[in-house]
Amino acid sequence: MRHVDFSSLHRSTVGFDRLFNMLDGLGQPEGGQTTYPPYNIERTGEDAYRISMAVAGFSETEISIEAHRNVLTIKGDRSNEAAGEGSELLYRGIASRAFERRFQLADHVEVVGAALKNGLLHIDLKRNIPEEHKPRKIEIAAAPASAKQIEANTVN
Protein backbone atom coordinates (compact mmCIF):
# COMPACT_ATOMS: atom_id res chain seq x y z
CA MET A 1 0.00 0.00 0.00
CA ARG A 2 1.20 3.51 -0.73
CA HIS A 3 2.09 5.92 2.05
CA VAL A 4 1.02 9.54 1.65
CA ASP A 5 3.33 12.24 3.00
CA PHE A 6 1.32 15.02 4.67
CA SER A 7 4.36 17.06 5.77
CA SER A 8 3.75 19.77 3.16
CA LEU A 9 0.20 20.23 4.45
CA HIS A 10 1.43 20.50 8.06
CA ARG A 11 3.33 23.64 7.07
CA SER A 12 0.26 25.47 5.76
CA THR A 13 -2.57 24.24 8.00
CA VAL A 14 -3.35 24.64 11.67
CA GLY A 15 -5.42 22.26 13.78
CA PHE A 16 -5.74 19.40 11.28
CA ASP A 17 -3.23 17.03 12.95
CA ARG A 18 -6.01 14.67 14.11
CA LEU A 19 -7.32 14.40 10.55
CA PHE A 20 -3.86 13.62 9.17
CA ASN A 21 -3.29 11.00 11.90
CA MET A 22 -6.62 9.36 11.03
CA LEU A 23 -5.71 9.28 7.33
CA ASP A 24 -2.32 7.77 8.15
CA GLY A 25 -3.97 5.05 10.23
CA LEU A 26 -6.51 3.98 7.60
CA GLY A 27 -4.20 1.47 5.97
CA GLN A 28 -3.04 -0.09 9.23
CA PRO A 29 -5.00 -2.94 10.84
CA GLU A 30 -6.26 -2.51 14.42
CA GLY A 31 -4.14 -5.06 16.25
CA GLY A 32 -5.07 -7.97 13.98
CA GLN A 33 -8.77 -8.16 14.98
CA THR A 34 -10.17 -6.25 12.05
CA THR A 35 -13.06 -8.57 11.25
CA TYR A 36 -14.44 -9.49 14.70
CA PRO A 37 -17.13 -8.68 15.53
CA PRO A 38 -18.74 -7.81 12.20
CA TYR A 39 -20.65 -4.55 12.05
CA ASN A 40 -22.71 -2.25 9.80
CA ILE A 41 -22.82 1.53 9.75
CA GLU A 42 -25.98 3.03 8.31
CA ARG A 43 -27.46 6.48 7.91
CA THR A 44 -30.95 6.58 9.40
CA GLY A 45 -31.68 10.27 8.85
CA GLU A 46 -30.12 13.51 7.70
CA ASP A 47 -28.05 13.80 10.90
CA ALA A 48 -28.64 10.33 12.39
CA TYR A 49 -26.54 7.18 12.16
CA ARG A 50 -26.63 3.65 13.55
CA ILE A 51 -23.86 1.16 14.19
CA SER A 52 -25.11 -2.43 14.33
CA MET A 53 -22.67 -5.00 15.65
CA ALA A 54 -23.13 -8.79 15.77
CA VAL A 55 -22.39 -9.83 19.35
CA ALA A 56 -24.07 -13.24 19.59
CA GLY A 57 -23.71 -14.83 23.00
CA PHE A 58 -22.87 -11.60 24.85
CA SER A 59 -25.24 -10.12 27.43
CA GLU A 60 -25.73 -6.46 28.35
CA THR A 61 -23.47 -6.88 31.39
CA GLU A 62 -20.59 -8.25 29.29
CA ILE A 63 -20.50 -5.29 26.86
CA SER A 64 -19.30 -1.79 27.69
CA ILE A 65 -19.68 1.29 25.50
CA GLU A 66 -17.63 4.42 26.13
CA ALA A 67 -17.56 7.69 24.22
CA HIS A 68 -14.56 9.87 24.99
CA ARG A 69 -13.72 12.95 22.94
CA ASN A 70 -14.22 11.79 19.34
CA VAL A 71 -13.67 8.06 19.90
CA LEU A 72 -16.42 5.50 20.51
CA THR A 73 -15.04 2.33 22.14
CA ILE A 74 -17.05 -0.89 22.39
CA LYS A 75 -15.62 -3.70 24.51
CA GLY A 76 -16.92 -7.19 25.06
CA ASP A 77 -15.53 -9.52 27.71
CA ARG A 78 -17.37 -12.80 28.00
CA SER A 79 -16.87 -14.85 31.14
CA ASN A 80 -15.90 -18.45 30.50
CA GLU A 81 -18.88 -20.54 31.40
CA ALA A 82 -19.08 -24.27 31.63
CA ALA A 83 -21.04 -26.05 28.92
CA GLY A 84 -23.29 -27.57 31.55
CA GLU A 85 -23.27 -30.14 34.31
CA GLY A 86 -21.71 -33.34 33.05
CA SER A 87 -21.38 -32.19 29.45
CA GLU A 88 -18.36 -31.49 27.32
CA LEU A 89 -18.03 -28.97 24.48
CA LEU A 90 -17.06 -30.83 21.30
CA TYR A 91 -17.06 -27.93 18.84
CA ARG A 92 -17.12 -24.17 19.40
CA GLY A 93 -18.55 -22.34 16.41
CA ILE A 94 -19.86 -19.33 18.32
CA ALA A 95 -16.96 -17.07 19.12
CA SER A 96 -16.64 -16.13 22.76
CA ARG A 97 -13.40 -14.19 22.64
CA ALA A 98 -13.07 -10.72 24.05
CA PHE A 99 -13.11 -7.83 21.62
CA GLU A 100 -12.52 -4.13 21.46
CA ARG A 101 -13.67 -2.03 18.53
CA ARG A 102 -13.02 1.71 18.14
CA PHE A 103 -14.84 4.16 15.89
CA GLN A 104 -13.65 7.70 15.14
CA LEU A 105 -16.57 10.10 15.45
CA ALA A 106 -16.79 13.41 13.65
CA ASP A 107 -17.09 16.62 15.63
CA HIS A 108 -20.48 17.13 17.29
CA VAL A 109 -21.56 13.48 16.84
CA GLU A 110 -23.04 12.13 20.07
CA VAL A 111 -24.24 8.71 21.20
CA VAL A 112 -28.01 8.86 21.65
CA GLY A 113 -28.61 5.32 22.92
CA ALA A 114 -27.78 1.64 22.64
CA ALA A 115 -29.87 -1.53 22.61
CA LEU A 116 -29.08 -5.24 22.45
CA LYS A 117 -31.70 -7.22 20.53
CA ASN A 118 -31.50 -10.68 18.93
CA GLY A 119 -27.70 -10.81 19.17
CA LEU A 120 -27.24 -7.39 17.54
CA LEU A 121 -25.97 -4.37 19.42
CA HIS A 122 -27.48 -1.18 17.97
CA ILE A 123 -25.81 2.14 18.81
CA ASP A 124 -27.66 5.25 17.66
CA LEU A 125 -25.68 8.40 16.91
CA LYS A 126 -26.79 11.94 16.11
CA ARG A 127 -24.92 14.96 14.83
CA ASN A 128 -25.85 18.02 16.90
CA ILE A 129 -24.20 21.10 15.43
CA PRO A 130 -24.33 24.05 17.86
CA GLU A 131 -26.03 27.20 16.60
CA GLU A 132 -22.77 29.15 16.63
CA HIS A 133 -21.22 26.63 14.20
CA LYS A 134 -24.13 26.56 11.75
CA PRO A 135 -23.83 28.68 8.62
CA ARG A 136 -25.55 32.03 8.90
CA LYS A 137 -26.39 34.68 6.35
CA ILE A 138 -24.56 37.98 6.70
CA GLU A 139 -26.55 40.98 5.48
CA ILE A 140 -24.67 43.60 3.51
CA ALA A 141 -25.42 47.07 4.83
CA ALA A 142 -26.17 49.78 2.27
CA ALA A 143 -23.89 52.82 2.25
CA PRO A 144 -25.37 55.71 4.24
CA ALA A 145 -27.03 58.41 2.12
CA SER A 146 -24.84 61.13 3.60
CA ALA A 147 -21.60 59.55 2.39
CA LYS A 148 -19.13 61.87 0.69
CA GLN A 149 -18.67 61.51 -3.00
CA ILE A 150 -15.55 62.61 -4.75
CA GLU A 151 -16.11 64.31 -8.05
CA ALA A 152 -13.49 64.29 -10.72
CA ASN A 153 -13.06 66.96 -13.33
CA THR A 154 -12.98 65.49 -16.78
CA VAL A 155 -11.27 67.22 -19.66
CA ASN A 156 -12.82 66.80 -23.05
Side-chain angles (χ1 to χ4, degrees), residues 44-100:
T44 58
E46 187 175 331
D47 287 327
Y49 304 90
R50 173 178 273 182
I51 298 173
S52 298
M53 185 176 291
V55 290
F58 286 86
S59 68
E60 291 92 350
T61 59
E62 297 169 330
I63 298 173
S64 67
I65 303 169
E66 181 180 314
H68 182 64
R69 295 191 181 159
N70 288 21
V71 178
L72 174 67
T73 305
I74 304 162
K75 296 179 184 177
D77 190 16
R78 190 158 178 223
S79 58
N80 291 335
E81 57 197 40
E85 192 72 31
S87 66
E88 160 183 6
L89 185 65
L90 299 176
Y91 172 76
R92 181 179 299 273
I94 300 172
S96 63
R97 63 182 180 246
F99 67 88
E100 180 175 334

Side-chain angles (χ1 to χ4, degrees), residues 103-142:
F103 296 93
Q104 295 288 329
L105 301 178
D107 291 336
H108 311 297
V109 173
E110 302 169 355
V111 177
V112 176
L116 183 63
K117 183 177 179 184
N118 297 331
L120 289 175
L121 175 66
H122 299 288
I123 302 169
D124 293 315
L125 308 166
K126 184 163 178 68
R127 179 184 301 138
N128 291 321
I129 300 174
E131 284 297 321
E132 61 267 11
H133 290 118
K134 289 183 180 176
R136 58 188 172 100
K137 185 170 175 77
I138 309 297
E139 296 294 329
I140 300 172

